[in-house]
Amino acid sequence: MVTRMVDLRSDTVTKPTEAMQAAMATAEVDDDVLGFDPTAFRLETEIAKIMGKEAALFVPSGTMGNLISVLVHCDIRGSEVILGDNSHIHIYENGGISTIGGVYPRPVKNNEDGTMDIDLIEASIRDQRGELFYPTTRLICLENSQANCGGRCLSVEYTNRVGELAKKHGLKLHIDGARLFNAATALHVPVHRLVQAADSVSVCLSKGLGAPVGSVIVGSKSFITKARILRKTLGGGMRQIGMLCAAALVALQENVGKLEGDHKKARTLADGLNDIKGLRVDINSVETNIIFIDIEESSSTTAAKLFKNLEERGVLVMQVNSSRLRGVLHHQVSASDVYYTLSCFQQAVKGVEQTENGN
């Protein structure tokens, strides 16, 4: 029988804290679709200020936030967006920019550090003289931190260079900042500096920050006006959302400061996993709270076997493929949980090896 549970599937699995629940229970609310929910207004004003942008809009999810942002910038069907081939928008958002918005994705290879080469981005921008044959490039999307690259952080300098390139060619820049606060914490820079070059940003509240629901998109006042209309069109108008926004305000107050601890726990876990024979973690890639665990070819185990063995011990991770697992740290994983997880990995690897050897 499992007596302890450590959930490392994602930082989306956190439960609302008592303070969040209390804030939700007492939140002042009104109809946000009509524009009168005071707690939503307070959250949006706070996020816009933190991001250094004119306005903000609460949306149900990061996927909707990214979709709305892309559609506002690419308001003509047949537009093209340049984005990373390993980006969340390109892989994990159901192709919404194409199926709903008629926007064509032009993927550029993501480097191991989450960046795309500047020259490859520029080479991907369509020559407008070919508009009879090609879609028209209107937008560049970045992701910070870059989840599929291990939570790697894009620097202020790199983002500014991409912003300069976008302006040079008359394009817009959107940043999928689902874990932007993690990136800012790891880089030791204010959040607004990481997005200064961006025309729009989506920020998830229910990942590292630990709120139960929602994301916020930020940009100019005219951008948010258009975004609000699209939110309603997509079914994202949710009336008395102040209850959800109240929890997010608590998350901003209480959990941003915990992100550095999450990163340290991730590094401790990564170092410990690297000491287990048959497992390998690229320590240089562990900049924030995400860890990819590779199973070496010489090992007798597989990701599926290890996943099952860990689950039986109460440790939940994500299986990426036949030889890779992923773990994500968050504020509800303690230092003690990290060491318990390491012991479970050691036992799981040993258990699989014994089974394979017939012992």
Side-chain angles (χ1 to χ4, degrees), residues 67 70-81 95-105 131 134-138 230 233-234:
L67 176 61
V70 172
L71 298 192
V72 169
H73 295 308
C74 299
D75 55 353
I76 300 174
R77 292 184 68 84
S79 298
E80 185 171 66
V81 55
I97 61 172
S98 298
T99 57
I100 296 174
V103 178
Y104 186 78
E131 64 181 358
Y134 306 130
T136 301
T137 309
R138 288 193 166 86
L230 273 172
T233 303
L234 294 169

Side-chain angles (χ1 to χ4, degrees), residues 209-336:
L209 297 186
V213 179
S215 287
V216 173
I217 51 178
V218 299
S220 67
K221 290 181 181 178
S222 61
F223 169 85
I224 293 299
T225 297
K226 295 175 183 177
R228 189 176 296 277
I229 296 170
L230 273 172
R231 184 185 69 171
K232 185 69 170 66
T233 303
L234 294 169
M238 296 189 296
R239 307 302 177 181
Q240 287 77 29
I241 63 171
M243 289 184 291
L244 300 176
C245 295
L249 283 165
V250 173
L252 282 175
Q253 294 162 3
E254 296 187 353
N255 292 343
V256 172
K258 298 176 183 177
L259 295 176
E260 186 173 3
D262 295 342
H263 300 171
K264 289 179 179 177
K265 287 179 288 189
R267 187 59 183 256
T268 298
L269 181 58
D271 287 336
L273 290 170
N274 250 350
D275 290 335
I276 299 175
K277 184 179 179 181
L279 302 182
R280 179 173 52 82
V281 176
D282 179 4
I283 295 298
N284 292 329
S285 73
V286 185
E287 296 181 354
T288 54
N289 63 326
I290 299 175
I291 303 171
F292 283 107
I293 306 135
D294 292 307
I295 300 168
E296 295 180 339
E297 292 183 9
S298 59
S299 175
S300 58
T301 189
T302 64
K305 292 176 182 177
L306 197 52
F307 173 88
K308 185 174 184 298
N309 216 306
L310 288 167
E311 187 178 41
E312 291 171 352
R313 290 173 165 82
V315 175
L316 304 180
V317 294
M318 292 280 277
Q319 182 179 340
V320 179
N321 54 41
S322 62
S323 61
R324 172 172 272 202
L325 299 170
R326 188 191 79 165
V328 183
L329 280 293
H330 49 81
H331 76 97
Q332 290 178 343
V333 174
S334 67
S336 173

Side-chain angles (χ1 to χ4, degrees), residues 59 61-73 87-90 93 96-97 139 141-143 174-178 200-203 207 215-217 223 234:
V59 293
S61 70
T63 293
M64 183 181 284
N66 285 330
L67 176 61
I68 289 172
S69 298
V70 172
L71 298 192
V72 169
H73 295 308
S87 66
H88 198 279
I89 294 176
H90 187 51
E93 298 183 6
I97 61 172
L139 177 66
C141 289
L142 299 176
E143 181 180 334
H174 172 69
I175 295 178
D176 174 3
S200 61
V201 187
S202 62
V203 182
K207 290 189 170 71
S215 287
V216 173
I217 51 178
F223 169 85
L234 294 169

Side-chain angles (χ1 to χ4, degrees), residues 67-202:
L67 176 61
I68 289 172
S69 298
V70 172
L71 298 192
V72 169
H73 295 308
C74 299
D75 55 353
I76 300 174
R77 292 184 68 84
S79 298
E80 185 171 66
V81 55
I82 295 171
L83 74 182
D85 69 337
N86 217 3
S87 66
H88 198 279
I89 294 176
H90 187 51
I91 298 175
Y92 295 119
E93 298 183 6
N94 297 103
I97 61 172
S98 298
T99 57
I100 296 174
V103 178
Y104 186 78
R106 188 159 200 198
V108 171
K109 179 178 174 56
N110 278 116
N111 299 316
E112 289 185 359
D113 65 358
T115 64
M116 298 176 282
D117 289 345
I118 299 291
D119 57 345
L120 291 182
I121 295 175
E122 186 161 31
S124 299
I125 299 171
R126 303 286 188 179
D127 188 330
Q128 293 185 358
R129 291 173 296 182
E131 64 181 358
L132 181 63
F133 306 99
Y134 306 130
T136 301
T137 309
R138 288 193 166 86
L139 177 66
I140 301 171
C141 289
L142 299 176
E143 181 180 334
N144 199 10
S145 67
Q146 218 294 347
N148 267 5
C149 293
R152 303 295 290 271
C153 305
L154 307 187
S155 68
V156 172
E157 293 74 20
Y158 173 79
T159 305
N160 286 347
R161 287 182 63 197
V162 176
E164 291 168 2
L165 178 66
K167 286 183 180 179
K168 173 184 174 182
H169 292 275
L171 310 178
K172 298 295 185 180
L173 173 62
H174 172 69
I175 295 178
D176 174 3
R179 295 183 176 90
L180 187 66
F181 282 91
N182 288 88
T185 297
L187 294 171
H188 303 290
V189 298
V191 178
H192 69 87
R193 288 192 59 200
L194 284 178
V195 298
Q196 190 171 355
D199 297 284
S200 61
V201 187
S202 62

